[in-house]
Amino acid sequence: MKIEYNKDLTRLNTFGMKVFCACYVEFDSVGELAEIYKDSSDNRFPHPFFHMGGGSNLLFTKDFPGTVFHSSIKFTNASSRSGQTSESSGSVFCEVGSGVLWDDFCGWCSQHGLWGPENLSGIPGEVGAAAVQNIGAYGVEAKDIIKEVKCFDVVTGEEKTLSVKDCRYGYRDSVFKDVAKGRYIVTSVLFGLSEEPAPRLEYGHVRNAVEEVVRSGPDRNLSPALVRKVILDIRHAKLPDPAVIGSAGSFFKNPVVPKSSYEFVENYAKGKYGKDYSVPHFDAGSGFIKIPAAWLIEQCGWKGYREGNVGVYEKQPLVIVNITGQATPEEVAALEYKIVISVQNRFGITLIPEVEHV
């Protein structure tokens, strides 16, 4: 176990917020977690407690007065379950430690010819946080391949295994962010992967991009590695590298609104761009429509905007960036507020942050 006091978290959050925590702890086993939680009066670990993954989907709004925990549980164990369970032939189950970088896991799967997470390639953060957040991109969500999540229950002090159903996954949501927030610390995740081809290419222009690579590239075989490369190319073309420009990725959730709200937005767009214009949208079922937050934000003139040390990324308006590396939490929060108010005033839609505020 690694314990540090008055820890500078600047390099441990991708936004690059210069904040400190009273105590920082890295653990590499469930046993160490049990030791930490067995005595709440242990003054080595000041309260409150906060568990952080790769620091890629959060905004520290100030110094943290308690203890920040980070998992260093890192392993990848795969086993074939063909013929042993109800899983189809070619199924592979893979248990991964919560401290493994998510994109390293995606790369490992591609190298081994395993289908499942390739569309989620390039998303920053760690495996444990991916299960908490139910990360998603290009038509796939983490819940689509998660089978079980192993956790440490801070209330009982025991290990617990949650099925994917128990996790109550929704759009960027889970039991870990809702009714059980703060109770469970993810220690590992069991994924269901496939040796048989299982591409998911329906989202946006992914299929066209993949087909173009297959036609023109030296490797004409569709594989997880090929799809991963296409996804990475798409992401790199429109999203900033947090190692170069600080950000927390997509700052807002895509709003899911009643059809009447979508029709209001559509009428606005047709009045501005012509009757043949179609607002990008996705059917969310039960009379609801999902509208890309990036489109709404761009319509309000924020794309490429800069104010002091912060701004809106010029290639993707869904991303707030720490342009100079010197941005303060107050600057980020002020820009966030202005964006939310502008979209609300123009479209009557309230954007909800995807980024966790701490």
Side-chain angles (χ1 to χ4, degrees):
M1 189 190 310
K2 178 181 177 182
I3 305 174
E4 297 180 67
Y5 294 97
N6 194 33
K7 174 72 171 179
D8 184 347
L9 300 175
T10 306
R11 296 185 179 276
L12 298 178
N13 71 96
T14 60
F15 232 136
M17 295 294 101
K18 188 172 182 58
V19 293
F20 291 77
C21 64
C23 180
Y24 178 77
V25 176
E26 284 194 349
F27 58 89
D28 58 16
S29 71
V30 175
E32 289 182 347
L33 275 176
E35 177 187 340
I36 293 167
Y37 279 91
K38 70 180 179 182
D39 184 2
S40 61
S41 64
D42 189 336
N43 57 18
R44 289 183 301 166
F45 310 115
H47 289 253
F49 289 173
F50 177 71
H51 186 266
M52 182 173 74
S56 60
N57 193 56
L58 57 83
L59 170 65
F60 279 103
T61 59
K62 58 184 178 181
D63 290 340
F64 189 73
T67 302
V68 171
F69 294 98
H70 178 250
S71 172
S72 287
I73 300 176
K74 299 179 180 181
F75 65 86
T76 303
N77 295 331
S79 61
S80 174
R81 298 294 181 94
S82 299
Q84 300 178 29
T85 70
S86 60
E87 299 292 322
S88 60
S89 176
S91 295
V92 173
F93 279 12
C94 185
E95 185 178 2
V96 186
S98 57
V100 173
L101 290 176
W102 173 259
D103 193 55
D104 284 354
F105 168 59
C106 294
W108 182 91
C109 290
S110 293
Q111 290 169 8
H112 289 80
L114 297 174
W115 293 87
E118 60 280 352
N119 287 38
L120 304 176
S121 294
I123 296 178
E126 297 171 350
V127 166
V132 170
Q133 178 73 3
N134 187 25
I135 59 172
Y138 305 105
V140 176
E141 292 181 314
K143 70 174 179 61
D144 298 333
I145 57 173
I146 289 175
K147 295 296 182 181
E148 296 176 347
V149 178
K150 290 186 178 180
C151 314
F152 177 78
D153 187 334
V154 304
V155 174
T156 65
E158 300 176 347
E159 292 183 77
K160 186 178 180 66
T161 299
L162 301 181
S163 69
V164 67
K165 182 178 180 180
D166 294 332
C167 293
R168 302 184 191 178
Y169 283 123
Y171 173 54
R172 303 299 179 270
D173 197 17
S174 70
V175 69
F176 308 106
K177 299 179 68 176
D178 191 10
V179 295
K181 184 176 177 64
R183 176 166 181 170
Y184 298 122
I185 296 175
V186 176
T187 56
S188 68
V189 183
L190 183 68
F191 296 96
L193 310 172
S194 175
E195 294 175 320
E196 302 297 325
R200 298 281 296 274
L201 309 178
E202 298 79 17
Y203 189 94
H205 63 287
V206 172
R207 181 177 296 278
N208 290 340
V210 168
E211 290 176 348
E212 176 61 27
V213 171
V214 171
R215 284 196 302 269
S216 60
D219 184 1
R220 297 178 180 274
N221 296 317
L222 185 61
S223 67
L226 186 148
V227 175
R228 169 175 162 79
K229 179 183 182 305
V230 169
I231 294 296
L232 289 174
D233 288 345
I234 293 173
R235 292 185 66 88
H236 291 161
K238 68 175 186 177
L239 294 173
D241 181 350
V244 179
I245 303 176
S247 82
S250 299
F251 200 94
F252 299 100
K253 296 180 182 180
N254 292 322
V256 178
V257 301
K259 188 176 180 181
S260 58
S261 296
Y262 167 74
E263 289 171 347
F264 176 86
V265 174
E266 186 178 42
N267 289 334
Y268 162 87
K270 290 185 181 301
K272 183 176 182 179
Y273 299 111
K275 64 179 182 178
D276 294 329
Y277 184 86
S278 178
V279 175
H281 64 282
F282 306 91
D283 185 0
S286 302
F288 285 85
I289 306 293
K290 181 187 291 187
I291 305 175
W295 185 90
L296 297 170
I297 295 168
E298 184 172 358
Q299 297 308 305
C300 293
W302 292 107
K303 188 176 183 180
Y305 176 85
R306 176 170 179 171
E307 182 176 301
N309 296 302
V310 298
V312 177
Y313 194 53
E314 67 272 13
K315 296 180 181 180
Q316 172 52 274
L318 194 55
V319 179
I320 295 177
V321 289
N322 180 357
I323 299 173
T324 65
Q326 303 299 316
T328 64
E330 292 78 12
E331 286 180 292
V332 176
L335 180 55
E336 172 192 358
Y337 176 78
K338 291 177 181 178
I339 292 171
V340 170
I341 291 300
S342 68
V343 171
Q344 193 173 56
N345 288 342
R346 177 160 296 182
F347 299 110
I349 295 173
T350 301
L351 295 180
I352 304 298
E354 180 177 326
V355 171
E356 182 177 5
H357 292 51
V358 181

